[in-house]
Amino acid sequence: LTGTSREQRAFQYLLAHAIPGDPRHILQTFDQWCYHCEHLSCVGPDKGRIVERVLLERAPLRVLELGTYCGYGTVLLAQGLPPGARLYTIEGDPRHAAVAEKVIRLAGFSEQTVELIVGPSEEVIPRLREKHGLMKANLVFMDHWKRCYLRDLRLLESHQLLAEGATILADNVLFPGAPHFLQYAKTCGKYHCKVHCASLEY
């Protein structure tokens, strides 16, 4: 009725209530909106703690996020990066990307730290090295369409974009589920797998 999307309404709420340049407060304000106003498919605080722990353990210098959506996960990842690290995030929906870009910059992250790439992941991944300068990713966070998880993991492998010892963190593999991805990761012999139990966001 308002002519604005849920994502745009959430951003307007951020503008009114969040502290610019404070990533943690941006995330907390997002959480308040999602708990009390409208549900958004963001990572959320519970699973966010798992992401933060992995970032702290791995200290990755090159991070790739598949599925920017509103920028919640992007801000979560960016605030946990070690000095000199860079985050590349891919979003297929231009409308979501437009909101995410504003959220990322509101949180205080420049294009030198976070590069948002708009386009289908299957088209962007093969161009990451040549066009965007990503040689090898130390951490990949998958939070886009679950049916694309396996295809995109194989694309990353075939284009040799995974650093030795890279970590692949994939959200919602049990529900709504990415069974083919999970089976491949467990049986192909390239990965050590661990499933983290968590509640659904919000």
Side-chain angles (χ1 to χ4, degrees):
L1 291 174
T2 63
T4 60
S5 66
R6 279 187 303 173
E7 295 78 20
Q8 289 169 320
R9 291 194 291 273
F11 178 68
Q12 292 302 321
Y13 185 82
L14 284 183
L15 277 180
H17 298 92
I19 301 169
D22 186 336
R24 194 159 290 279
H25 196 260
I26 297 278
L27 295 175
Q28 288 170 354
T29 308
F30 243 131
D31 292 335
Q32 287 171 358
W33 171 265
C34 294
Y35 276 124
H36 303 297
C37 301
E38 293 181 278
H39 178 270
L40 294 173
S41 299
C42 303
V43 179
D46 293 337
K47 289 188 284 188
R49 281 188 280 275
I50 297 170
V51 176
E52 287 178 323
R53 191 169 72 241
V54 170
L55 281 168
L56 197 62
E57 290 170 0
R58 304 290 186 209
L61 287 175
R62 294 293 176 267
V63 178
L64 175 63
E65 179 186 32
L66 302 178
T68 317
Y69 188 42
C70 289
Y72 183 105
T74 315
V75 172
L76 180 69
L77 290 164
Q79 73 167 359
L81 293 176
R86 186 164 169 78
L87 168 60
Y88 302 80
T89 182
I90 301 171
E91 174 54 48
D93 188 324
R95 295 165 301 177
H96 292 161
V99 173
E101 180 82 46
K102 290 183 277 193
V103 170
I104 294 162
R105 306 311 166 209
L106 184 67
F109 298 108
S110 70
E111 290 183 14
Q112 281 67 47
T113 303
V114 178
E115 181 178 350
L116 173 59
I117 306 163
V118 184
S121 55
E122 72 271 22
E123 293 177 14
V124 174
I125 288 171
R127 303 196 311 258
L128 279 172
R129 179 176 288 114
E130 187 181 304
K131 191 171 180 183
H132 301 281
L134 175 60
M135 305 308 288
K136 303 270 186 183
N138 308 106
L139 174 70
V140 178
F141 181 48
M142 294 186 167
D143 195 17
H144 56 327
W145 294 106
K146 313 311 158 209
R147 66 175 182 270
C148 301
Y149 280 17
L150 179 56
R151 180 201 68 196
D152 288 351
L153 178 60
R154 284 179 160 161
L155 271 176
L156 290 168
E157 290 174 349
S158 65
H159 288 275
Q160 299 179 327
L161 286 164
L162 298 175
E164 190 175 344
T167 300
I168 313 293
L169 195 56
D171 194 16
N172 300 117
V173 292
L174 299 180
F175 182 85
H180 299 299
F181 166 84
L182 211 51
Q183 182 184 21
Y184 176 77
K186 286 179 176 178
T187 60
C188 72
K190 300 174 186 176
Y191 305 100
H192 299 285
C193 291
K194 181 179 181 182
V195 177
H196 298 268
C197 293
S199 61
L200 288 172
E201 54 274 351
Y202 311 113

